[in-house]
Structure formats: C-alpha cells, structure tokens
Amino acid sequence: MSTEHERETAMAARWDASFEAQAQEGAYNSVPPEVLVRGVSYYLRNRSVLVPFSGVRFLDLGCGAGQTTLWLGKKGLDATGIDISPAALNLARNALASETVLDATLPDRVHFYEGSIVHLPFPDKHFQGIVEANVIQHLAKNDRDSVFAEIKRVLVPGGLFCGYLIGQESSVCVRQWFSSSGKLERPE
C-alpha cells in the first residue's frame, strides 16, 4: 500500500504528462465551463451589495490551465487556483502573463498554488466561493470525502460551491483509469 505522499506524487506525474501533451497539441481548455460561469454569475447577481467584488475570494480546485481562475479574476474577484500539476500551473501562469497585457491589475487578484485539493493550504472560512470542474471525480472515494470536508472547512457559511462532475462511466473517466499496461485501474 502506498503512502499518501506517494499517491499524490504519482497523481502529479500523471497530470503533468497529460497537461504537457495537451500543451503540445494546444488542446487544453481555454474557457471556463458554462455551468460554472452561470453558477457564479447567478450567485454574484443575487448579492449585488458586494459590487464591486474587490475582496470577494474564490477558489478554483484543480485549476489546470487557469481558464476559470482567470475568468473569476477578470470579474473583479480575488481568485486563487490550486493544482497538483506543475505543468498545468505553468500554462496557467503563462495565460495570466498574457492577460496582464490587457489588465495590469489582474496579477493583484489572481494567484496560483501548487498543491493537492485533498489538503487545502488555506485558513478556515476563507473563501466566499469555490468552483471545480471535472476534478473530484478522478479521486478515490476516501479522497473525495476529504475534499468535500476541506470545501466545508474553507468556505464561509452561506458561500457558493459550484462543482461540475461528469459520471464515472463517461469515456473521459474510463480513459483516465487505464494504466500503461492496459489494465483498468478504477479509483475506489
């Protein structure tokens, strides 16, 4: 049985390989999923007292190439993205640098951290909103349970959690579960 550190290291290596391949093909997501845009927009619209949104903190779990984190920052929110993959974070930071040409204040609001979403390095009740898209489903059940406990811990009471999960029988998930030997390694 592997240790938690060994599992996280292996997961980071798998995601690095995935994002490096996506970067070579230019195939990584470049826009946030519509379901997150709508969920966050409805939440903010119903809290018009917060306009402008300066000081309103959102966390993007498994931020990947940073498209959702950047969208949140462009809305005027303080946006933090966390991902286990250094390759993904490199794409995210490059995207932030490109966007800074149009908005020099964006780096004041958008930050990226390397780390696991299973153990978030943020204080209790720190974020007004947390989003994730197609990340939690890739974790084993005990890690998913830990992530939801972490979300509850770092989200302020009455805050927004907007997650987008595809079913585990989706071809996207099934492809992820095959090892290099061709054997199915489904998360428990």
Side-chain angles (χ1 to χ4, degrees):
M1 181 162 199
S2 62
T3 67
E4 186 172 340
H5 176 72
E6 290 170 332
R7 283 186 329 188
E8 287 182 359
T9 300
M11 182 178 291
R14 281 193 307 272
W15 283 110
D16 267 354
S18 174
F19 274 100
E20 287 167 358
Q22 291 175 54
Q24 286 179 346
E25 296 172 13
Y28 55 87
N29 293 333
S30 59
V31 296
E34 181 181 358
V35 67
L36 296 185
V37 170
R38 286 177 183 249
V40 170
S41 296
Y42 292 145
Y43 174 80
L44 295 174
R45 182 176 56 202
N46 292 329
R47 282 149 187 82
S48 59
V49 64
L50 298 176
V51 176
F53 302 121
S54 176
V56 177
R57 292 183 300 272
F58 265 69
L59 175 62
D60 182 7
L61 299 174
C63 66
Q67 69 280 1
T68 301
T69 314
L70 288 169
W71 177 79
L72 293 165
K74 290 179 199 176
K75 296 283 290 178
L77 301 163
D78 291 338
T80 299
I82 185 169
D83 203 287
I84 201 166
S85 168
L89 292 169
N90 186 48
L91 292 170
R93 290 181 178 120
N94 287 341
L96 174 60
S98 295
E99 292 291 337
T100 300
V101 172
L102 300 173
D103 181 354
T105 67
L106 204 53
D108 297 334
R109 294 187 308 277
V110 175
H111 306 280
F112 294 105
Y113 293 90
E114 182 179 340
S116 171
I117 65 171
V118 175
H119 304 287
L120 295 172
F122 306 109
D124 294 356
K125 298 173 179 48
H126 187 70
F127 295 99
Q128 286 81 16
I130 299 175
V131 297
E132 78 81 38
N134 302 320
V135 175
I136 296 173
Q137 72 215 18
H138 295 288
L139 302 174
K141 183 177 182 334
N142 62 323
D143 287 339
R144 289 192 303 265
D145 293 342
S146 295
V147 169
F148 286 117
E150 284 290 271
I151 290 168
K152 182 177 179 183
R153 181 183 67 78
V154 301
L155 189 62
V156 300
L160 171 73
F161 170 65
C162 186
Y164 178 61
L165 302 152
I166 57 176
Q168 288 194 336
E169 298 306 318
S170 163
S171 63
V172 173
C173 284
V174 173
R175 262 195 321 268
Q176 294 283 332
W177 294 338
F178 281 96
S179 69
S180 58
S181 66
K183 293 185 179 185
L184 187 62
E185 294 180 357
R186 185 175 186 158
E188 296 175 13

